Amino acid sequence: MDYWYEGNLNENANRREKEGIVYYIRGVRKVNGRRMERYGVQTHFVEEGESYVRLIQDYVLPLYQPGDILSISEKVISMCQENTVYMEDVKVGWLARFLSCFGHRTKSGIGVTEPHKLQLAINMRGSVRVLFAAVMGALGKLIGKRGLFYKILGVEVAGIDGFYDHSAFESYHQMATLTPKNPDRVCQRIEEKTGIPTMLVDANDIDVVILGESPALKDIPDKILAAYIGDNPAGQDDECTPFILIRDIGNARPEKYVPKKAINGES
């Protein structure tokens, strides 16, 4: 990732509105010689069981222009699919409590310092594999190779998102979302229903993982797609901007954009 930010990214100076839809300018990324401007489309707080197609029809289509790409946060799709787990339904065992003591909190989340989150990983992959991943992860850090824990356990474990007692949304204090089911099919359905080329992403202030793509994007390398949103324009706070429209503006003048002040002093 490029920068670390504090708080909500939705600066008033970047706020725009069209046909009753509120969106925020997120600046331009230069990728492979292309100037890609991004727009964070603001929604209501999406509840479990809502239709993601309807959400895109209501919030994104009024802003969409042919050639745009839509990036969707995995969390909103998981909510729509009701692919969630509640803390009260997770029985934490001794191994999860023990291993969580050695977890590492990052600026983008709690990692596996939360025993319930680690227990979910054990439920998915088994105690032996999780213990092996924990040992390899610790050894990897000693030689400067981070991320082995999640590489060993896979994208489904890495995609567990929630149980945050500090979340701006109370729902996520006691609930976690899991990696969306059939992400490619989700993107394909969105493209079929709306005509918008779509990618489904798991993004934070450390990394971007492309979980799924619609047919129109299959020829674009994941590395390029990830670079379009490499600064995590959806945000990590209470922005409610799970939909990011990405537009190639060519040589056109971009929208006026006031960047959020970065923690590291960059902008």
Side-chain angles (χ1 to χ4, degrees), residues 127-149:
S127 58
V128 174
R129 188 171 175 185
V130 170
L131 185 57
F132 172 74
V135 172
M136 294 304 295
L139 293 175
K141 290 178 182 177
L142 293 177
I143 60 173
K145 192 170 184 178
R146 296 184 174 274
L148 287 180
F149 179 84

Side-chain angles (χ1 to χ4, degrees), residues 27-89:
V28 174
R29 296 271 297 182
K30 294 181 181 179
V31 181
N32 272 14
R34 303 175 69 188
R35 299 168 70 235
M36 312 300 288
E37 188 164 52
R38 293 82 46 75
Y39 316 95
V41 184
Q42 191 169 53
T43 70
H44 62 275
F45 179 81
V46 175
E47 302 285 356
E48 292 181 86
E50 293 196 50
S51 166
Y52 55 81
V53 171
R54 180 61 183 273
L55 289 168
I56 293 165
Q57 290 172 335
D58 288 347
Y59 286 106
V60 180
L61 270 179
L63 306 176
Y64 171 74
Q65 295 181 13
D68 288 354
I69 294 172
L70 176 62
S71 172
I72 304 178
S73 167
E74 93 291 350
K75 185 177 287 186
V76 73
I77 297 298
S78 296
M79 290 291 283
C80 290
Q81 293 178 335
E82 299 182 84
N83 193 21
T84 59
V85 177
Y86 284 85
M87 188 175 282
E88 63 185 19
D89 297 322

Side-chain angles (χ1 to χ4, degrees), residues 45 75 85-88 110 114 116-117 161-177:
F45 179 81
K75 185 177 287 186
V85 177
Y86 284 85
M87 188 175 282
E88 63 185 19
I110 59 174
E114 164 51 57
H116 292 82
K117 186 174 181 179
D161 195 0
F163 299 150
Y164 301 137
D165 57 7
H166 62 282
S167 174
F169 300 108
E170 190 172 344
S171 296
Y172 294 127
H173 293 186
Q174 300 292 322
M175 179 182 70
T177 59

